[in-house]
Amino acid sequence: MACGMAKAARVKVFFDGGCRPNPGTMECAVVIGGVAFVRDDLGHGGSHEAEWRAAIEALRLARERGLRDFVLLGDALAVIAVIEGRTRPRPEAAPLLAAFEALAGGEKVRVRYVPRGQNLAGVALAKRHPR
């Protein structure tokens, strides 16, 4: 690397999913570069499925934008553990893992846990539903 040239920072792609009530209408948000992408057309399901759909949407948006060096950041520990290969998916989540892996195209996807208060996608969803 030439003097004075900084390495580009890894792009942070925040994701969060939820439903109201649980189970209920699923929604998700993805935040990339400070821009929130929110979907509320994910159908009826539970919070675990909504988190998976959010992770899939985050990966889809990263791929669509041609991002190469990125990390998915979310607060869904169970989903992250499966993506990292530390645990098996719940039986009902196996098709969602398969969809995620198909989108990954055989590449290892970086994913990391962030606390709920630091998850910008969770903040975007919370803004839609003020208490």
Side-chain angles (χ1 to χ4, degrees), residues 6-64:
K7 182 179 176 187
R10 181 169 291 146
V11 177
K12 295 177 180 178
V13 180
F14 295 87
F15 70 93
D16 195 25
C19 54
R20 294 171 198 281
N22 186 17
T25 302
M26 294 184 294
E27 62 186 355
C28 76
V30 175
V31 175
I32 303 173
V35 178
F37 303 88
V38 179
R39 291 192 56 188
D40 57 8
D41 59 350
L42 302 176
H44 189 272
S47 59
H48 186 71
E49 180 180 354
E51 293 285 7
W52 267 108
R53 294 194 179 278
I56 292 166
E57 183 69 2
L59 181 54
R60 185 188 71 76
L61 287 168
R63 293 284 193 236
E64 188 176 270

Side-chain angles (χ1 to χ4, degrees), residues 48 52 77-98 101:
H48 186 71
W52 267 108
L77 285 169
V79 171
I80 291 167
V82 172
I83 292 170
E84 290 180 328
R86 292 185 286 120
T87 61
R88 292 176 164 262
R90 296 178 185 175
E92 68 273 12
L96 297 164
L97 172 60
E101 289 176 334

